[in-house]
Amino acid sequence: MSETDGRFVNGRWVEEPEPETDQIPIETGPAPGSEPRTEDLLADASRSVTKAVDDVVLAARHLFGTPEGREHIERSARKAGSDLEKAINEVAESARRRLERR
């Protein structure tokens, strides 16, 4: 007898059919309670924005030749980061207000 999956039916070995490989598995998603909290996601996003801005400023200091060019890049990067953090905070506040109304 070969090493195949199967079972005995009426005293006879019946092999189990091979699973079809062209089927897409159904994803059930994360277990309840394991999803990150909105506050944590927003805090992570804010930290990421701050780090990205700091990285751009650091790169600008090393890559751009003139002090005016570096200053311009730094101001632009800091403003973009500030605008993005403001938008994140506005969305978080809006979501918090909606949750409180429920």
Side-chain angles (χ1 to χ4, degrees), residues 60-70:
R61 286 183 184 156
H62 290 287
L63 295 176
F64 298 101
T66 66
E68 295 84 11
R70 287 193 298 265

Side-chain angles (χ1 to χ4, degrees), residues 8-97:
F8 281 101
V9 177
N10 296 329
R12 195 168 154 233
W13 182 255
V14 177
E15 292 183 4
E16 295 291 332
E18 291 288 323
E20 294 183 30
T21 57
D22 62 341
Q23 291 182 348
I24 299 172
I26 298 172
E27 295 194 23
T28 58
S34 67
E35 296 177 9
R37 294 180 0 182
T38 302
E39 296 85 12
D40 295 337
L41 292 172
L42 292 171
D44 289 346
S46 183
R47 281 191 294 275
S48 294
V49 167
T50 300
K51 180 170 178 359
V53 169
D54 290 344
D55 289 347
V56 168
V57 169
L58 182 63
R61 286 183 184 156
H62 290 287
L63 295 176
F64 298 101
T66 66
E68 295 84 11
R70 287 193 298 265
E71 189 175 312
H72 176 72
I73 293 293
E74 286 182 33
R75 272 196 315 270
S76 297
R78 293 201 187 282
K79 177 158 181 8
S82 176
D83 291 347
L84 188 52
E85 283 190 61
K86 181 180 175 189
I88 289 170
N89 289 333
E90 288 172 354
V91 169
E93 180 61 25
S94 174
R96 185 188 61 76
R97 283 194 304 266

